[in-house]
Amino acid sequence: MAKPLGIVTRYRTHLEHFDVAFWEAKDVGGARRPPVPGTIPMVSFFGDNRVAGQHPDWVQQGPGGERGARPTRYFDWDTLCPSRPEVAALALRWAEAALSGAGALRLDDVTFARRGYCTCSACQEGAAAAGLPLEAWRQRVLSNFVAAVRERAGARPLYLTLYPDPYPGHLARERGLDLQELAPLVDAFVVPLYDLTYSTTYWLEVLASGFRDLLGPHPWWAELYALGVPTPALTKAALVAGTYADGLLLAYGAKLPELQSVAAAVQKHFGESASP
Ligand SMILES: [Zn+2]
């Protein structure tokens, strides 16, 4: 069965050569880029170093008051708490701006940071007022956010990025993502399964098949890291992931002929794509 193959790119010259192209409209650093017609904007919603720097009290808090920000171990960017009304309002403005003139939208970093996050005052007070445990509260907050974006998107396709952890219950308990609630709101999930070399692929198969089991018939795309990865290894990784995913994305690859070579191998293996 054909697999659509797209790219995540910052190169305008690559856009026309693939089924779909995702464009970073706002990244975790807080940098915003003007929209590019024909691309799907990606917006980092609850990761933003710039906003966190201006509003330190909006940052997610973990157990013992640990801050979900770069100075803390294992944090590569600063998180924002979706329970904060100011953050939620800002995120919806970003969604509206990205949807303006776009045919689709990808929601990135719609998540709580990790196990035990967030325990800030907004989360505590929100959960208490709703009569919910914190875990259920976090799931409600993120489901409500995605539902509000869906309202604004109308029938336009929505993609939602998931942390690559298909272990049963983890996305709900540790990230605030209730897949049962979210699946009807989005057209496809996107799961980044990144490696710098793909010199082995057994783990890729474990994760990809895990997501297939977890999501059932709901569409999902595997996103592979392409920058500097040898083409034979990237091709093999694409064929492994494509066995379980409904679509494939190659992210940040710089060399167009190499990306096209992977796309050709995917087409040969799975059949011609039905998309343009
Ligand atoms: Zn919070």
Side-chain angles (χ1 to χ4, degrees):
M1 193 180 149
K3 302 281 170 184
L5 187 138
I7 52 172
V8 177
T9 192
R10 291 171 182 164
Y11 298 99
R12 288 172 189 249
T13 50
H14 291 184
L15 300 176
E16 64 196 75
H17 298 283
F18 300 91
D19 294 325
V20 293
F22 288 85
W23 182 261
E24 269 187 334
K26 190 188 87 61
D27 63 24
V28 290
R32 295 166 73 167
R33 295 176 187 83
V36 173
T39 64
I40 299 174
M42 299 163 53
V43 176
S44 165
F45 282 101
F46 303 113
D48 193 304
N49 299 343
R50 196 174 292 179
V51 174
Q54 291 160 351
H55 301 279
D57 52 328
W58 294 1
V59 169
Q60 294 187 30
Q61 282 181 27
E66 177 182 280
R67 287 170 57 74
R70 284 167 291 167
T72 303
R73 206 174 180 195
Y74 306 131
F75 276 88
D76 295 325
W77 56 81
D78 297 352
T79 62
L80 302 175
C81 179
S83 294
R84 291 245 165 222
E86 304 94 323
V87 171
L90 184 61
L92 280 178
R93 288 205 297 278
W94 286 337
E96 288 163 1
L99 278 165
S100 164
L105 175 64
R106 173 168 164 189
L107 296 85
D108 267 354
D109 298 295
V110 174
T111 183
F112 284 92
R114 64 178 59 144
R115 184 176 291 197
Y117 279 78
C118 171
T119 58
C120 79
S121 59
C123 284
Q124 302 277 6
E125 288 161 18
L132 291 172
L134 267 176
E135 279 181 15
W137 165 255
R138 296 176 194 136
Q139 291 163 32
R140 177 182 288 187
V141 167
L142 292 183
S143 294
N144 285 349
F145 172 72
V146 176
V149 175
R150 166 51 74 198
E151 261 185 48
R152 286 155 176 80
R156 287 175 283 181
L158 284 184
Y159 297 80
L160 177 67
T161 306
L162 298 178
Y163 188 76
D165 180 355
Y167 194 88
H170 274 194
L171 286 172
R173 290 201 305 270
E174 302 184 1
R175 312 279 159 177
L177 296 168
D178 181 333
L179 297 176
Q180 304 291 332
E181 288 184 2
L182 293 169
L185 298 171
V186 301
D187 296 85
F189 295 106
V190 180
V191 182
L193 298 166
Y194 279 18
D195 190 58
L196 301 182
T197 61
Y198 295 107
S199 53
T200 62
T201 53
Y202 68 91
W203 58 273
L204 191 59
E205 180 159 36
V206 169
L207 291 171
S209 63
F211 272 99
R212 183 78 279 163
D213 290 349
L214 187 70
L215 296 173
H218 198 275
W220 76 279
W221 290 46
E223 178 177 311
L224 304 178
Y225 187 72
L227 180 60
V229 178
T231 302
L234 186 59
T235 302
K236 185 182 176 207
L239 299 184
V240 169
T243 301
Y244 303 97
D246 299 290
L248 290 164
L249 291 176
L250 305 178
Y252 306 114
K255 296 180 179 167
L256 182 60
E258 294 186 6
L259 296 173
Q260 287 177 307
S261 158
V262 178
V266 166
Q267 280 192 351
K268 188 173 171 207
H269 189 82
F270 294 109
E272 292 289 322
S273 168
S275 327

